[in-house]
Amino acid sequence: MRPGRRAVDRWSGAERAGGASPDGVAARPPAHWGLAARGALVEAGGPEMAFDFADRDMVWSELAPTLYAHAAAARWDPATAIPWDRPFTLPDAVEQAVVQIMTYLVENEQAALIVPARLLARVHPHFREVLQLLAVQAADEARHVEVFTRRALLKGGRMGTSSVGGRASLTTLLAEPDHSLASFLLSVLGEGSFLNLLAFLDRHAPDPVTRRVVQLARQDEARHVAFGIAHLEHQATVDPGLRHRLRAAVERRHDALADTAGLNQDVTDALIVMAAGKWTPRAIARGHREVLRLQAQMDEGRRRRLVHLGFPHREAADVSALHTRNFM
């Protein structure tokens, strides 16, 4: 049966919304494609939807489809993946240290949840793998908030302390409107440093629940860092001024936090106690050395990632030194 004239006229101005596969991503999908599936035949007319990020070079990474597939396959269930019922008893000082560290992690992960959730609504849906990856990243952070909170309260205690300086540091992440700069500050510098922190907590975890919680979180955070680096690598190929803008973002954040105290002293003390394992002068001295080693490893990791993004070694060291004392 041949279509009628009306049907023919209806589709006369239609166009394909790129191609369905990642190879078919358009450089600048128009607003009138809106929510159409990538690769669909889009009828002319209809509503236009404005998205802040509708330029391929602003959001895309060739690694996005692979990372999304990995993220979907690697999802874990907090109820079954962690041995919540395994019995253990810790000295009071060590348990209090764990609670304080978990409280600190919750605070940071809440910021890390909000950043991708905000970006998610601003990206043109034509870049569906990026949307999917941001959605999974937000879900990862929500799951981390859940398990860190649950571990903090596992032995019936109360949450630890939250400092003004820590909250101020995280607020600067939420204030960055640029997608690439926000990704850089959060994923490359902040969550990159958190990979070192989570490895430290895994190494010194005093109980099986804490160890498993930080292991699973680290698995997710490594993927977030990989996406941030891949996205910025792509953008650097088309934006010769990117490195200058990245450094300027770090300097603005450093200046904004110049009068704050940085890392909560309660968190520093808790890290020392966890690494010490017990409350004796010799153990505390060992714990202090371990925390200093952690900070050096964080700095080395940031410098390595900055060099990977094209910063000369000396500039990478300068930029890393400006990173917030709150780690994230």
Side-chain angles (χ1 to χ4, degrees):
M1 182 176 177
R2 298 178 62 185
R5 179 70 183 213
R6 174 177 290 182
V8 172
D9 290 345
R10 176 183 175 187
W11 295 102
S12 62
E15 59 183 327
R16 287 285 172 188
S21 72
D23 292 340
V25 171
R28 292 176 180 81
H32 67 263
W33 285 1
L35 299 173
R38 195 170 69 221
L41 184 63
V42 181
E43 183 181 3
E48 293 198 354
M49 300 185 66
F51 292 95
D52 294 333
F53 304 118
D55 186 317
R56 182 180 187 274
D57 292 331
M58 293 178 66
V59 298
W60 187 252
S61 162
E62 299 295 341
L63 202 56
T66 301
L67 287 174
Y68 171 67
H70 178 272
R75 291 182 64 191
W76 45 274
D77 182 354
T80 59
I82 298 165
W84 299 110
D85 296 331
R86 188 173 300 177
F88 67 87
T89 302
L90 301 178
D92 288 344
V94 176
E95 176 62 25
Q96 289 170 11
V98 172
V99 169
Q100 179 59 61
I101 291 167
M102 292 296 140
T103 302
Y104 166 77
L105 292 178
V106 169
E107 188 170 276
N108 283 264
E109 296 292 60
Q110 289 181 157
L113 187 162
I114 293 170
V115 171
R118 283 182 171 178
L119 291 174
L120 180 62
R122 302 172 66 195
V123 176
H124 196 301
H126 181 77
F127 308 112
R128 68 166 186 263
E129 292 86 354
V130 174
L131 289 185
Q132 291 165 331
L133 202 49
L134 288 171
V136 172
Q137 184 171 332
D140 287 343
E141 306 297 8
R143 197 165 57 234
H144 298 172
V145 169
E146 174 189 346
V147 297
F148 292 150
T149 301
R150 187 167 175 179
R151 172 58 190 93
L153 302 178
L154 187 62
K155 293 298 183 178
R158 295 187 296 179
M159 301 295 283
T161 62
S162 169
S163 69
V164 170
R167 296 197 307 278
S169 178
L170 296 173
T171 299
T172 60
L173 288 175
L174 307 184
E176 178 53 66
D178 184 281
H179 171 72
S180 296
L181 300 185
S183 176
F184 173 66
L185 294 173
L186 173 64
S187 298
V188 178
L189 295 182
E191 290 180 314
S193 296
F194 256 53
L195 289 179
N196 296 108
L197 175 60
L198 293 171
F200 173 94
L201 298 177
D202 181 12
R203 187 164 60 251
H204 297 291
D207 63 84
V209 176
T210 299
R211 174 165 289 111
R212 189 58 179 154
V213 161
V214 298
Q215 286 174 344
L216 290 168
R218 187 166 183 257
Q219 167 187 297
D220 295 336
E221 298 294 354
R223 187 172 57 252
H224 304 169
V225 174
F227 177 53
I229 291 175
H231 159 65
L232 291 167
E233 278 185 308
H234 173 81
Q235 190 170 359
T237 64
V238 296
D239 180 3
L242 177 64
R243 198 181 77 214
H244 174 75
R245 293 197 298 117
L246 295 178
R247 173 162 188 159
V250 174
E251 291 173 343
R252 284 196 305 272
R253 190 180 186 206
H254 176 268
D255 292 345
L257 298 171
D259 295 330
T260 64
L263 188 67
N264 185 350
Q265 185 61 49
D266 291 342
V267 177
T268 301
D269 293 345
L271 292 171
I272 292 171
V273 171
M274 179 182 281
K278 53 186 176 180
W279 195 260
T280 66
R282 179 173 295 181
I284 292 299
R286 182 179 66 249
H288 184 261
R289 290 193 299 270
E290 285 295 298
V291 171
L292 292 178
R293 180 176 165 216
L294 167 64
Q295 292 171 333
Q297 290 171 338
M298 287 179 167
D299 177 59
E300 192 278 330
R302 288 193 298 269
R303 287 188 282 114
R304 185 178 64 251
R305 288 186 293 276
L306 289 164
V307 169
H308 187 78
L309 290 175
F311 284 84
H313 286 273
R314 181 171 294 181
E315 186 177 11
D318 292 342
V319 172
S320 177
L322 294 173
H323 182 62
T324 172
R325 291 165 290 176
N326 193 52
F327 299 163
M328 177 67 86

